[in-house]
Amino acid sequence: MKQTELKTPLQTKVQIQTPNLQRHAVGIMGGTFNPVHIGHLIMADQVMAQLRLTKVSFIPDAQPPHQDEKETIAAQDRVAMLELALAGHAGFDLDLLEVARGGKSYTYDTIVELKRRHPLADYYLILGADMIDYLPTWRRIDDLAKLVTFVGVKRPGYPTKAKYPVIWVDTPEVAISSTKIRQLVARHCPINYLVPDKVQAYIKEKGLYLEH
């Protein structure tokens, strides 16, 4: 808080506190997180450090908007695994805005709501290089581009060119996907080191992904 010193007619000093309003940079990691894995955590950590973001918010979707809709487990299980994965990571938090809203999750709607709640936040949308190619197909993408800064995480085989301005970031290459993890679990193969230990224990305890 910034203090301003005023004097009354009796020369009495009065300290008036005024809020010190500063903008802050927030990273956004959205997705189904079905399940969350160490690739997600490494990506968020590297972008947060390299771009000096205040924090990274993980926002799981209620229902993915893609036409080739993924089979997803219950939101409560995906949220529980995120809580386990993010615990103890300074600078990471979990925002359940999309899960609470329900229905199909569109990034534009989410960012509009976030900016309404936090008008002093500048949002950086973190995406893998493979997702950058799909930006032109996103709902209200031109409007979204005015509200956020796109951050692309470089991946071998994907160009660093895009229709929209993108900040490109180099991170350690981790070839892990949620799809691959689900396939491994379904075949009763180990997923050691692919997900945090507590997430692996949760998957085993709940018997997740065995039916897929």
Side-chain angles (χ1 to χ4, degrees), residues 180-181 184-185 189-195 199-200 203:
K180 183 63 175 179
I181 290 170
L184 288 171
V185 174
C189 296
I191 55 172
N192 301 318
Y193 315 114
L194 303 180
V195 300
V199 171
Q200 180 175 205
I203 291 173

Side-chain angles (χ1 to χ4, degrees), residues 39 42-43 46-47 50 153-156 169-175:
I42 291 172
M43 183 186 300
Q46 287 290 320
V47 172
Q50 293 185 39
V153 176
K154 294 180 181 179
R155 289 183 179 174
V169 174
D170 281 305
T171 69
E173 182 184 352
V174 181

Side-chain angles (χ1 to χ4, degrees), residues 28 107 111 115 123-125 143-150 165:
I28 297 294
T107 304
I111 296 299
K115 292 187 78 68
Y123 289 104
Y124 291 73
L125 188 60
D143 294 324
L144 177 63
K146 298 173 184 177
L147 300 178
V148 301
T149 298
F150 296 118

